[in-house]
Amino acid sequence: MCGDSNPWLDATQQRAWRRVAAVIQLLPGALDAPLQRETQLSLFSYMVLAMLSEAPGHTRRMTDLASLTNASLSRLSHVVRRLEAAGWVSRQPSPDDRRATQAVLTPAGWDKVVDAAPVHARSVRELIIDRLSDEQLAQFAEVCQIILDALPCDDRLTALRSPLADRAAP
Amino acid sequence: MCGDSNPWLDATQQRAWRRVAAVIQLLPGALDAPLQRETQLSLFSYMVLAMLSEAPGHTRRMTDLASLTNASLSRLSHVVRRLEAAGWVSRQPSPDDRRATQAVLTPAGWDKVVDAAPVHARSVRELIIDRLSDEQLAQFAEVCQIILDALPCDDRLTALRSPLADRAAP
DNA sequence: GCCATTCGATTGACGCTTCAAGCATGGTCG
DNA sequence: CGACCATGCTTGAAGCGTCAATCGAATGGC
């Protein structure tokens, strides 16, 4: 009657999986909420602006931006349209490749990301970094990297496999 | 706690965060895809059916089900409506509390979850468990627990803070 | 007993993501 | 060249989740 639905995971694996499941389900929302509330920016929109703010000339091709933000090109295109409507980003054709579009951070967009960055950083600290020891954080990061390497090769995560251009403040 | 004067993240923290961000962004989709493709079931729908399959009488109150699946009651309600339309679940008023609704797994729903379980288990193994050593998995689970404990108290995660009724294979 | 409050659940509208086309440009090879 | 396919990006429709509003039922205070 009450048979188990995961016949191939043992108790330890099951427990681990359920915690992982809970985290990947709840953490995005928990990170989104403060940003949304205090800056009217979704986590993803913030990421887009942040990646632009780190780029030379505050400019990136849509494809590169999609890679950096782990998004499909389609998703990015929709979001950039909204960001453009809000005045934070503008689009211009690439001089190199006439198929390509470049997204450019506007001055207003720069102000916005500067406003939002501390809110975002605070969430990341409060929910993750400050809760873990240095060693735990390092282990966590390594496990995440291993999992990323195992993900099926969608075109949207090529950038994740190579080292990121990590920078601190925008 | 939050008293750090530097509002930004340093390079190490930044790198760790970006990996975590990538995982919580990409892992859900990677786990969803095979299930969706091979069983026409989203990960969340599968979770709902699985939690019902483990319940005594294959029955749970909506609120309990929402806790177990880390979902809002609203989300669960929508999903259960679809599952009911598909014939996997039926709803009935609770005899104990006339406000409450009980979701019950139908025989067809049982068959469905039995079909889907191996697909799900395979994904979890391939993407997570098999990639990590026992020690890494244990560390990962512990970090996830710490993060869950730190999440702001939404009503949808009460069950996560207390030990889950973890069950393994029969 | 009565009123206010809380609880359990549902619903509809809205916003966002995905999916499947679609279109133009760029590269490749005969 | 010219046919052909890959690349870069956009678009519209459909599906799903969130939010706010709602409603009946239970609970607590007086």
PDB file of all heavy atoms in Angstrom, chain A residues 1 4-6 8 14 18-19 25 54 75 117 121 130 145 160 167, chain B residues 1 7-8 14 18-19 25-26 46 54 58 75 117 125 145 167-168:
ATOM      1  N   MET A   1       0.827  -1.204   0.000  1.00  0.00           N
ATOM      2  CA  MET A   1       0.000   0.000   0.000  1.00  0.00           C
ATOM      3  C   MET A   1       0.858   1.250   0.000  1.00  0.00           C
ATOM      4  O   MET A   1       0.708   2.126  -0.795  1.00  0.00           O
ATOM      5  CB  MET A   1      -0.866  -0.023   1.266  1.00  0.00           C
ATOM      6  CG  MET A   1      -2.367   0.186   1.067  1.00  0.00           C
ATOM      7  SD  MET A   1      -3.065  -0.083  -0.530  1.00  0.00           S
ATOM      8  CE  MET A   1      -4.698   0.478  -0.347  1.00  0.00           C
ATOM      9  N   ASP A   4       7.406   2.572  -1.583  1.00  0.00           N
ATOM     10  CA  ASP A   4       8.217   3.753  -1.826  1.00  0.00           C
ATOM     11  C   ASP A   4       8.338   4.017  -3.310  1.00  0.00           C
ATOM     12  O   ASP A   4       8.376   3.116  -4.118  1.00  0.00           O
ATOM     13  CB  ASP A   4       9.614   3.545  -1.220  1.00  0.00           C
ATOM     14  CG  ASP A   4      10.316   4.868  -1.083  1.00  0.00           C
ATOM     15  OD1 ASP A   4      10.718   5.429  -2.108  1.00  0.00           O
ATOM     16  OD2 ASP A   4      10.444   5.339   0.049  1.00  0.00           O
ATOM     17  N   SER A   5       8.402   5.281  -3.640  1.00  0.00           N
ATOM     18  CA  SER A   5       8.415   5.642  -5.040  1.00  0.00           C
ATOM     19  C   SER A   5       9.829   5.828  -5.579  1.00  0.00           C
ATOM     20  O   SER A   5      10.017   6.066  -6.744  1.00  0.00           O
ATOM     21  CB  SER A   5       7.632   6.937  -5.230  1.00  0.00           C
ATOM     22  OG  SER A   5       8.197   7.937  -4.421  1.00  0.00           O
ATOM     23  N   ASN A   6      10.820   5.763  -4.706  1.00  0.00           N
ATOM     24  CA  ASN A   6      12.199   5.893  -5.157  1.00  0.00           C
ATOM     25  C   ASN A   6      12.991   4.629  -4.814  1.00  0.00           C
ATOM     26  O   ASN A   6      13.813   4.647  -3.916  1.00  0.00           O
ATOM     27  CB  ASN A   6      12.866   7.099  -4.505  1.00  0.00           C
ATOM     28  CG  ASN A   6      12.226   8.392  -4.968  1.00  0.00           C
ATOM     29  OD1 ASN A   6      12.059   8.587  -6.164  1.00  0.00           O
ATOM     30  ND2 ASN A   6      11.864   9.241  -4.038  1.00  0.00           N
ATOM     31  N   TRP A   8      15.356   3.182  -5.885  1.00  0.00           N
ATOM     32  CA  TRP A   8      16.793   3.065  -6.117  1.00  0.00           C
ATOM     33  C   TRP A   8      17.637   4.082  -5.381  1.00  0.00           C
ATOM     34  O   TRP A   8      18.808   4.232  -5.652  1.00  0.00           O
ATOM     35  CB  TRP A   8      17.095   3.087  -7.605  1.00  0.00           C
ATOM     36  CG  TRP A   8      16.455   1.935  -8.299  1.00  0.00           C
ATOM     37  CD1 TRP A   8      16.156   0.720  -7.732  1.00  0.00           C
ATOM     38  CD2 TRP A   8      16.005   1.868  -9.644  1.00  0.00           C
ATOM     39  NE1 TRP A   8      15.540  -0.088  -8.652  1.00  0.00           N
ATOM     40  CE2 TRP A   8      15.442   0.586  -9.836  1.00  0.00           C
ATOM     41  CE3 TRP A   8      16.024   2.765 -10.695  1.00  0.00           C
ATOM     42  CZ2 TRP A   8      14.903   0.186 -11.059  1.00  0.00           C
ATOM     43  CZ3 TRP A   8      15.498   2.364 -11.899  1.00  0.00           C
ATOM     44  CH2 TRP A   8      14.942   1.087 -12.085  1.00  0.00           C
ATOM     45  N   GLN A  14      18.446   9.553  -0.229  1.00  0.00           N
ATOM     46  CA  GLN A  14      17.127  10.177  -0.232  1.00  0.00           C
ATOM     47  C   GLN A  14      17.118  11.460   0.593  1.00  0.00           C
ATOM     48  O   GLN A  14      16.602  12.493   0.174  1.00  0.00           O
ATOM     49  CB  GLN A  14      16.118   9.182   0.352  1.00  0.00           C
ATOM     50  CG  GLN A  14      14.725   9.700   0.443  1.00  0.00           C
ATOM     51  CD  GLN A  14      13.898   9.278  -0.758  1.00  0.00           C
ATOM     52  OE1 GLN A  14      13.788  10.011  -1.734  1.00  0.00           O
ATOM     53  NE2 GLN A  14      13.326   8.088  -0.691  1.00  0.00           N
ATOM     54  N   ARG A  18      16.563  15.233  -0.861  1.00  0.00           N
ATOM     55  CA  ARG A  18      15.431  16.088  -0.473  1.00  0.00           C
ATOM     56  C   ARG A  18      15.899  17.451   0.002  1.00  0.00           C
ATOM     57  O   ARG A  18      15.216  18.450  -0.199  1.00  0.00           O
ATOM     58  CB  ARG A  18      14.610  15.393   0.613  1.00  0.00           C
ATOM     59  CG  ARG A  18      13.970  14.138   0.064  1.00  0.00           C
ATOM     60  CD  ARG A  18      12.700  13.773   0.749  1.00  0.00           C
ATOM     61  NE  ARG A  18      12.148  12.594   0.082  1.00  0.00           N
ATOM     62  CZ  ARG A  18      11.054  11.962   0.470  1.00  0.00           C
ATOM     63  NH1 ARG A  18      10.392  12.393   1.523  1.00  0.00           N
ATOM     64  NH2 ARG A  18      10.611  10.913  -0.200  1.00  0.00           N
ATOM     65  N   ARG A  19      17.050  17.470   0.618  1.00  0.00           N
ATOM     66  CA  ARG A  19      17.579  18.772   1.025  1.00  0.00           C
ATOM     67  C   ARG A  19      18.009  19.585  -0.186  1.00  0.00           C
ATOM     68  O   ARG A  19      17.749  20.785  -0.256  1.00  0.00           O
ATOM     69  CB  ARG A  19      18.757  18.569   1.970  1.00  0.00           C
ATOM     70  CG  ARG A  19      18.270  18.122   3.328  1.00  0.00           C
ATOM     71  CD  ARG A  19      19.370  18.101   4.347  1.00  0.00           C
ATOM     72  NE  ARG A  19      18.845  17.574   5.593  1.00  0.00           N
ATOM     73  CZ  ARG A  19      19.552  16.889   6.481  1.00  0.00           C
ATOM     74  NH1 ARG A  19      20.825  16.664   6.254  1.00  0.00           N
ATOM     75  NH2 ARG A  19      18.989  16.461   7.578  1.00  0.00           N
ATOM     76  N   GLN A  25      14.651  24.671  -4.835  1.00  0.00           N
ATOM     77  CA  GLN A  25      13.292  25.181  -4.979  1.00  0.00           C
ATOM     78  C   GLN A  25      13.086  26.504  -4.240  1.00  0.00           C
ATOM     79  O   GLN A  25      12.424  27.402  -4.735  1.00  0.00           O
ATOM     80  CB  GLN A  25      12.320  24.149  -4.417  1.00  0.00           C
ATOM     81  CG  GLN A  25      10.871  24.468  -4.671  1.00  0.00           C
ATOM     82  CD  GLN A  25      10.210  23.429  -5.528  1.00  0.00           C
ATOM     83  OE1 GLN A  25      10.447  22.242  -5.389  1.00  0.00           O
ATOM     84  NE2 GLN A  25       9.396  23.876  -6.453  1.00  0.00           N
ATOM     85  N   GLU A  54      29.994  44.986 -15.744  1.00  0.00           N
ATOM     86  CA  GLU A  54      31.373  44.513 -15.660  1.00  0.00           C
ATOM     87  C   GLU A  54      32.060  44.452 -17.018  1.00  0.00           C
ATOM     88  O   GLU A  54      33.259  44.199 -17.085  1.00  0.00           O
ATOM     89  CB  GLU A  54      31.398  43.107 -15.044  1.00  0.00           C
ATOM     90  CG  GLU A  54      30.929  43.074 -13.611  1.00  0.00           C
ATOM     91  CD  GLU A  54      30.904  41.655 -13.071  1.00  0.00           C
ATOM     92  OE1 GLU A  54      31.340  40.733 -13.785  1.00  0.00           O
ATOM     93  OE2 GLU A  54      30.460  41.475 -11.923  1.00  0.00           O
ATOM     94  N   ARG A  75      14.872  33.778 -23.470  1.00  0.00           N
ATOM     95  CA  ARG A  75      14.577  34.433 -22.203  1.00  0.00           C
ATOM     96  C   ARG A  75      15.266  35.775 -22.117  1.00  0.00           C
ATOM     97  O   ARG A  75      14.668  36.784 -21.737  1.00  0.00           O
ATOM     98  CB  ARG A  75      15.033  33.532 -21.057  1.00  0.00           C
ATOM     99  CG  ARG A  75      14.805  34.146 -19.701  1.00  0.00           C
ATOM    100  CD  ARG A  75      15.331  33.249 -18.590  1.00  0.00           C
ATOM    101  NE  ARG A  75      14.972  33.800 -17.284  1.00  0.00           N
ATOM    102  CZ  ARG A  75      15.387  33.287 -16.129  1.00  0.00           C
ATOM    103  NH1 ARG A  75      16.148  32.212 -16.121  1.00  0.00           N
ATOM    104  NH2 ARG A  75      15.030  33.840 -15.002  1.00  0.00           N
ATOM    105  N   ALA A 117      23.052  46.502  -6.099  1.00  0.00           N
ATOM    106  CA  ALA A 117      24.140  45.590  -5.734  1.00  0.00           C
ATOM    107  C   ALA A 117      24.230  45.313  -4.230  1.00  0.00           C
ATOM    108  O   ALA A 117      24.368  44.154  -3.829  1.00  0.00           O
ATOM    109  CB  ALA A 117      25.464  46.113  -6.273  1.00  0.00           C
ATOM    110  N   ALA A 121      23.966  41.697  -2.573  1.00  0.00           N
ATOM    111  CA  ALA A 121      25.093  41.164  -1.803  1.00  0.00           C
ATOM    112  C   ALA A 121      24.670  40.812  -0.380  1.00  0.00           C
ATOM    113  O   ALA A 121      25.090  39.787   0.165  1.00  0.00           O
ATOM    114  CB  ALA A 121      26.235  42.184  -1.784  1.00  0.00           C
ATOM    115  N   ASP A 130      27.454  33.959   5.105  1.00  0.00           N
ATOM    116  CA  ASP A 130      27.659  34.141   6.535  1.00  0.00           C
ATOM    117  C   ASP A 130      27.285  32.912   7.349  1.00  0.00           C
ATOM    118  O   ASP A 130      27.629  32.809   8.528  1.00  0.00           O
ATOM    119  CB  ASP A 130      26.852  35.340   7.034  1.00  0.00           C
ATOM    120  CG  ASP A 130      27.439  36.657   6.554  1.00  0.00           C
ATOM    121  OD1 ASP A 130      28.560  36.635   6.016  1.00  0.00           O
ATOM    122  OD2 ASP A 130      26.777  37.701   6.709  1.00  0.00           O
ATOM    123  N   GLN A 145      30.551  23.096  -8.651  1.00  0.00           N
ATOM    124  CA  GLN A 145      31.307  22.996  -9.901  1.00  0.00           C
ATOM    125  C   GLN A 145      31.202  21.602 -10.500  1.00  0.00           C
ATOM    126  O   GLN A 145      31.010  21.431 -11.705  1.00  0.00           O
ATOM    127  CB  GLN A 145      32.770  23.360  -9.648  1.00  0.00           C
ATOM    128  CG  GLN A 145      33.599  23.436 -10.917  1.00  0.00           C
ATOM    129  CD  GLN A 145      33.060  24.501 -11.867  1.00  0.00           C
ATOM    130  OE1 GLN A 145      32.862  25.641 -11.481  1.00  0.00           O
ATOM    131  NE2 GLN A 145      32.795  24.115 -13.104  1.00  0.00           N
ATOM    132  N   LEU A 160      29.893  28.412 -18.245  1.00  0.00           N
ATOM    133  CA  LEU A 160      30.018  27.959 -16.869  1.00  0.00           C
ATOM    134  C   LEU A 160      31.133  26.955 -16.681  1.00  0.00           C
ATOM    135  O   LEU A 160      31.649  26.777 -15.592  1.00  0.00           O
ATOM    136  CB  LEU A 160      28.715  27.315 -16.431  1.00  0.00           C
ATOM    137  CG  LEU A 160      27.578  28.302 -16.345  1.00  0.00           C
ATOM    138  CD1 LEU A 160      26.284  27.555 -16.177  1.00  0.00           C
ATOM    139  CD2 LEU A 160      27.835  29.221 -15.184  1.00  0.00           C
ATOM    140  N   ARG A 167      34.733  39.164 -10.693  1.00  0.00           N
ATOM    141  CA  ARG A 167      35.108  40.473 -10.197  1.00  0.00           C
ATOM    142  C   ARG A 167      34.261  40.796  -8.973  1.00  0.00           C
ATOM    143  O   ARG A 167      33.212  40.214  -8.751  1.00  0.00           O
ATOM    144  CB  ARG A 167      34.913  41.547 -11.267  1.00  0.00           C
ATOM    145  CG  ARG A 167      35.839  41.392 -12.463  1.00  0.00           C
ATOM    146  CD  ARG A 167      35.698  42.540 -13.428  1.00  0.00           C
ATOM    147  NE  ARG A 167      35.898  43.824 -12.749  1.00  0.00           N
ATOM    148  CZ  ARG A 167      34.926  44.709 -12.604  1.00  0.00           C
ATOM    149  NH1 ARG A 167      33.730  44.461 -13.050  1.00  0.00           N
ATOM    150  NH2 ARG A 167      35.179  45.847 -11.998  1.00  0.00           N
TER     151      ARG A 167
ATOM    152  N   MET B   1      27.383  38.782  11.757  1.00  0.00           N
ATOM    153  CA  MET B   1      26.188  38.526  10.939  1.00  0.00           C
ATOM    154  C   MET B   1      26.155  39.462   9.733  1.00  0.00           C
ATOM    155  O   MET B   1      26.735  39.206   8.695  1.00  0.00           O
ATOM    156  CB  MET B   1      24.929  38.788  11.762  1.00  0.00           C
ATOM    157  CG  MET B   1      24.710  37.735  12.824  1.00  0.00           C
ATOM    158  SD  MET B   1      23.256  36.818  12.506  1.00  0.00           S
ATOM    159  CE  MET B   1      22.899  36.156  14.088  1.00  0.00           C
ATOM    160  N   PRO B   7      30.009  46.331   1.488  1.00  0.00           N
ATOM    161  CA  PRO B   7      28.742  45.839   0.956  1.00  0.00           C
ATOM    162  C   PRO B   7      28.916  44.860  -0.203  1.00  0.00           C
ATOM    163  O   PRO B   7      27.968  44.214  -0.602  1.00  0.00           O
ATOM    164  CB  PRO B   7      28.036  47.114   0.483  1.00  0.00           C
ATOM    165  CG  PRO B   7      29.141  48.060   0.194  1.00  0.00           C
ATOM    166  CD  PRO B   7      30.254  47.721   1.128  1.00  0.00           C
ATOM    167  N   TRP B   8      30.116  44.740  -0.725  1.00  0.00           N
ATOM    168  CA  TRP B   8      30.320  43.869  -1.881  1.00  0.00           C
ATOM    169  C   TRP B   8      30.785  42.491  -1.449  1.00  0.00           C
ATOM    170  O   TRP B   8      31.008  42.228  -0.274  1.00  0.00           O
ATOM    171  CB  TRP B   8      31.334  44.492  -2.832  1.00  0.00           C
ATOM    172  CG  TRP B   8      31.046  45.919  -3.122  1.00  0.00           C
ATOM    173  CD1 TRP B   8      31.714  47.000  -2.639  1.00  0.00           C
ATOM    174  CD2 TRP B   8      30.003  46.429  -3.932  1.00  0.00           C
ATOM    175  NE1 TRP B   8      31.151  48.160  -3.113  1.00  0.00           N
ATOM    176  CE2 TRP B   8      30.097  47.841  -3.909  1.00  0.00           C
ATOM    177  CE3 TRP B   8      29.005  45.828  -4.701  1.00  0.00           C
ATOM    178  CZ2 TRP B   8      29.227  48.657  -4.618  1.00  0.00           C
ATOM    179  CZ3 TRP B   8      28.138  46.642  -5.401  1.00  0.00           C
ATOM    180  CH2 TRP B   8      28.248  48.046  -5.354  1.00  0.00           C
ATOM    181  N   GLN B  14      32.547  35.806  -4.415  1.00  0.00           N
ATOM    182  CA  GLN B  14      31.928  36.010  -5.711  1.00  0.00           C
ATOM    183  C   GLN B  14      31.948  34.724  -6.538  1.00  0.00           C
ATOM    184  O   GLN B  14      30.943  34.329  -7.138  1.00  0.00           O
ATOM    185  CB  GLN B  14      32.686  37.120  -6.445  1.00  0.00           C
ATOM    186  CG  GLN B  14      32.169  37.446  -7.818  1.00  0.00           C
ATOM    187  CD  GLN B  14      31.178  38.595  -7.785  1.00  0.00           C
ATOM    188  OE1 GLN B  14      29.990  38.381  -7.653  1.00  0.00           O
ATOM    189  NE2 GLN B  14      31.667  39.807  -7.892  1.00  0.00           N
ATOM    190  N   ARG B  18      28.683  32.583  -7.686  1.00  0.00           N
ATOM    191  CA  ARG B  18      28.312  32.381  -9.078  1.00  0.00           C
ATOM    192  C   ARG B  18      28.090  30.918  -9.399  1.00  0.00           C
ATOM    193  O   ARG B  18      27.258  30.574 -10.229  1.00  0.00           O
ATOM    194  CB  ARG B  18      29.383  32.971  -9.999  1.00  0.00           C
ATOM    195  CG  ARG B  18      29.435  34.469  -9.836  1.00  0.00           C
ATOM    196  CD  ARG B  18      29.936  35.202 -11.047  1.00  0.00           C
ATOM    197  NE  ARG B  18      29.872  36.637 -10.777  1.00  0.00           N
ATOM    198  CZ  ARG B  18      30.286  37.566 -11.624  1.00  0.00           C
ATOM    199  NH1 ARG B  18      30.802  37.232 -12.785  1.00  0.00           N
ATOM    200  NH2 ARG B  18      30.178  38.838 -11.305  1.00  0.00           N
ATOM    201  N   ARG B  19      28.842  30.066  -8.731  1.00  0.00           N
ATOM    202  CA  ARG B  19      28.609  28.640  -8.955  1.00  0.00           C
ATOM    203  C   ARG B  19      27.288  28.215  -8.358  1.00  0.00           C
ATOM    204  O   ARG B  19      26.533  27.449  -8.955  1.00  0.00           O
ATOM    205  CB  ARG B  19      29.744  27.829  -8.347  1.00  0.00           C
ATOM    206  CG  ARG B  19      30.979  27.947  -9.188  1.00  0.00           C
ATOM    207  CD  ARG B  19      32.076  27.040  -8.698  1.00  0.00           C
ATOM    208  NE  ARG B  19      33.254  27.279  -9.514  1.00  0.00           N
ATOM    209  CZ  ARG B  19      34.496  27.112  -9.095  1.00  0.00           C
ATOM    210  NH1 ARG B  19      34.710  26.707  -7.853  1.00  0.00           N
ATOM    211  NH2 ARG B  19      35.501  27.335  -9.891  1.00  0.00           N
ATOM    212  N   GLN B  25      20.043  27.727 -10.835  1.00  0.00           N
ATOM    213  CA  GLN B  25      19.370  28.112 -12.067  1.00  0.00           C
ATOM    214  C   GLN B  25      19.238  26.943 -13.041  1.00  0.00           C
ATOM    215  O   GLN B  25      18.200  26.778 -13.678  1.00  0.00           O
ATOM    216  CB  GLN B  25      20.162  29.235 -12.744  1.00  0.00           C
ATOM    217  CG  GLN B  25      19.477  29.831 -13.947  1.00  0.00           C
ATOM    218  CD  GLN B  25      19.186  31.291 -13.738  1.00  0.00           C
ATOM    219  OE1 GLN B  25      19.955  32.031 -13.142  1.00  0.00           O
ATOM    220  NE2 GLN B  25      18.051  31.712 -14.218  1.00  0.00           N
ATOM    221  N   LEU B  26      20.281  26.142 -13.142  1.00  0.00           N
ATOM    222  CA  LEU B  26      20.318  25.118 -14.184  1.00  0.00           C
ATOM    223  C   LEU B  26      19.884  23.730 -13.727  1.00  0.00           C
ATOM    224  O   LEU B  26      19.343  22.957 -14.503  1.00  0.00           O
ATOM    225  CB  LEU B  26      21.735  25.036 -14.764  1.00  0.00           C
ATOM    226  CG  LEU B  26      22.233  26.307 -15.456  1.00  0.00           C
ATOM    227  CD1 LEU B  26      23.695  26.159 -15.838  1.00  0.00           C
ATOM    228  CD2 LEU B  26      21.385  26.607 -16.672  1.00  0.00           C
ATOM    229  N   TYR B  46       5.712  15.341 -10.220  1.00  0.00           N
ATOM    230  CA  TYR B  46       6.197  14.048  -9.733  1.00  0.00           C
ATOM    231  C   TYR B  46       6.323  14.046  -8.220  1.00  0.00           C
ATOM    232  O   TYR B  46       5.938  13.075  -7.551  1.00  0.00           O
ATOM    233  CB  TYR B  46       7.542  13.699 -10.369  1.00  0.00           C
ATOM    234  CG  TYR B  46       8.182  12.519  -9.686  1.00  0.00           C
ATOM    235  CD1 TYR B  46       7.733  11.226  -9.939  1.00  0.00           C
ATOM    236  CD2 TYR B  46       9.206  12.697  -8.753  1.00  0.00           C
ATOM    237  CE1 TYR B  46       8.283  10.141  -9.281  1.00  0.00           C
ATOM    238  CE2 TYR B  46       9.757  11.613  -8.095  1.00  0.00           C
ATOM    239  CZ  TYR B  46       9.292  10.347  -8.364  1.00  0.00           C
ATOM    240  OH  TYR B  46       9.827   9.278  -7.696  1.00  0.00           O
ATOM    241  N   GLU B  54       3.632   7.927  -0.696  1.00  0.00           N
ATOM    242  CA  GLU B  54       4.256   7.526   0.563  1.00  0.00           C
ATOM    243  C   GLU B  54       3.328   7.700   1.756  1.00  0.00           C
ATOM    244  O   GLU B  54       3.653   7.285   2.866  1.00  0.00           O
ATOM    245  CB  GLU B  54       5.520   8.359   0.812  1.00  0.00           C
ATOM    246  CG  GLU B  54       6.615   8.101  -0.198  1.00  0.00           C
ATOM    247  CD  GLU B  54       7.815   8.996   0.050  1.00  0.00           C
ATOM    248  OE1 GLU B  54       7.810   9.758   1.028  1.00  0.00           O
ATOM    249  OE2 GLU B  54       8.756   8.937  -0.761  1.00  0.00           O
ATOM    250  N   HIS B  58      -2.513   6.751   0.841  1.00  0.00           N
ATOM    251  CA  HIS B  58      -2.225   7.570  -0.360  1.00  0.00           C
ATOM    252  C   HIS B  58      -2.981   8.890  -0.309  1.00  0.00           C
ATOM    253  O   HIS B  58      -3.469   9.374  -1.338  1.00  0.00           O
ATOM    254  CB  HIS B  58      -2.575   6.807  -1.640  1.00  0.00           C
ATOM    255  CG  HIS B  58      -1.642   5.680  -1.918  1.00  0.00           C
ATOM    256  ND1 HIS B  58      -1.803   4.811  -2.970  1.00  0.00           N
ATOM    257  CD2 HIS B  58      -0.527   5.272  -1.271  1.00  0.00           C
ATOM    258  CE1 HIS B  58      -0.837   3.915  -2.952  1.00  0.00           C
ATOM    259  NE2 HIS B  58      -0.047   4.171  -1.929  1.00  0.00           N
ATOM    260  N   ARG B  75       0.075  27.389  -5.523  1.00  0.00           N
ATOM    261  CA  ARG B  75       0.701  26.608  -6.589  1.00  0.00           C
ATOM    262  C   ARG B  75       0.202  25.174  -6.555  1.00  0.00           C
ATOM    263  O   ARG B  75      -0.156  24.591  -7.578  1.00  0.00           O
ATOM    264  CB  ARG B  75       2.217  26.635  -6.407  1.00  0.00           C
ATOM    265  CG  ARG B  75       2.939  25.795  -7.438  1.00  0.00           C
ATOM    266  CD  ARG B  75       4.443  25.777  -7.214  1.00  0.00           C
ATOM    267  NE  ARG B  75       5.113  25.070  -8.289  1.00  0.00           N
ATOM    268  CZ  ARG B  75       6.416  24.833  -8.316  1.00  0.00           C
ATOM    269  NH1 ARG B  75       7.188  25.265  -7.334  1.00  0.00           N
ATOM    270  NH2 ARG B  75       6.944  24.187  -9.321  1.00  0.00           N
ATOM    271  N   ALA B 117       9.228   6.971 -11.243  1.00  0.00           N
ATOM    272  CA  ALA B 117      10.250   6.943 -10.197  1.00  0.00           C
ATOM    273  C   ALA B 117      11.645   6.574 -10.700  1.00  0.00           C
ATOM    274  O   ALA B 117      12.620   7.251 -10.354  1.00  0.00           O
ATOM    275  CB  ALA B 117       9.819   6.009  -9.064  1.00  0.00           C
ATOM    276  N   ARG B 125      20.703  10.470  -9.562  1.00  0.00           N
ATOM    277  CA  ARG B 125      21.984   9.784  -9.482  1.00  0.00           C
ATOM    278  C   ARG B 125      22.995  10.367 -10.449  1.00  0.00           C
ATOM    279  O   ARG B 125      24.105  10.724 -10.075  1.00  0.00           O
ATOM    280  CB  ARG B 125      21.804   8.306  -9.832  1.00  0.00           C
ATOM    281  CG  ARG B 125      21.198   7.463  -8.752  1.00  0.00           C
ATOM    282  CD  ARG B 125      21.132   6.020  -9.254  1.00  0.00           C
ATOM    283  NE  ARG B 125      20.870   5.106  -8.179  1.00  0.00           N
ATOM    284  CZ  ARG B 125      21.773   4.775  -7.265  1.00  0.00           C
ATOM    285  NH1 ARG B 125      22.990   5.281  -7.323  1.00  0.00           N
ATOM    286  NH2 ARG B 125      21.467   3.928  -6.303  1.00  0.00           N
ATOM    287  N   GLN B 145      21.198  21.901   4.462  1.00  0.00           N
ATOM    288  CA  GLN B 145      20.390  22.023   5.673  1.00  0.00           C
ATOM    289  C   GLN B 145      20.618  23.369   6.352  1.00  0.00           C
ATOM    290  O   GLN B 145      19.681  24.025   6.798  1.00  0.00           O
ATOM    291  CB  GLN B 145      20.719  20.875   6.637  1.00  0.00           C
ATOM    292  CG  GLN B 145      19.813  20.834   7.852  1.00  0.00           C
ATOM    293  CD  GLN B 145      18.359  20.632   7.443  1.00  0.00           C
ATOM    294  OE1 GLN B 145      18.035  19.723   6.707  1.00  0.00           O
ATOM    295  NE2 GLN B 145      17.484  21.514   7.926  1.00  0.00           N
ATOM    296  N   ARG B 167      12.229   8.202   3.961  1.00  0.00           N
ATOM    297  CA  ARG B 167      12.105   6.763   3.819  1.00  0.00           C
ATOM    298  C   ARG B 167      12.913   6.321   2.617  1.00  0.00           C
ATOM    299  O   ARG B 167      13.112   7.071   1.676  1.00  0.00           O
ATOM    300  CB  ARG B 167      10.649   6.362   3.671  1.00  0.00           C
ATOM    301  CG  ARG B 167       9.827   6.712   4.908  1.00  0.00           C
ATOM    302  CD  ARG B 167       8.397   6.234   4.794  1.00  0.00           C
ATOM    303  NE  ARG B 167       8.359   4.819   4.509  1.00  0.00           N
ATOM    304  CZ  ARG B 167       7.948   4.331   3.342  1.00  0.00           C
ATOM    305  NH1 ARG B 167       7.564   5.136   2.405  1.00  0.00           N
ATOM    306  NH2 ARG B 167       7.922   3.038   3.148  1.00  0.00           N
ATOM    307  N   ALA B 168      13.355   5.120   2.679  1.00  0.00           N
ATOM    308  CA  ALA B 168      14.188   4.625   1.600  1.00  0.00           C
ATOM    309  C   ALA B 168      13.408   3.578   0.807  1.00  0.00           C
ATOM    310  O   ALA B 168      12.197   3.514   0.880  1.00  0.00           O
ATOM    311  CB  ALA B 168      15.458   4.020   2.165  1.00  0.00           C
TER     312      ALA B 168
END
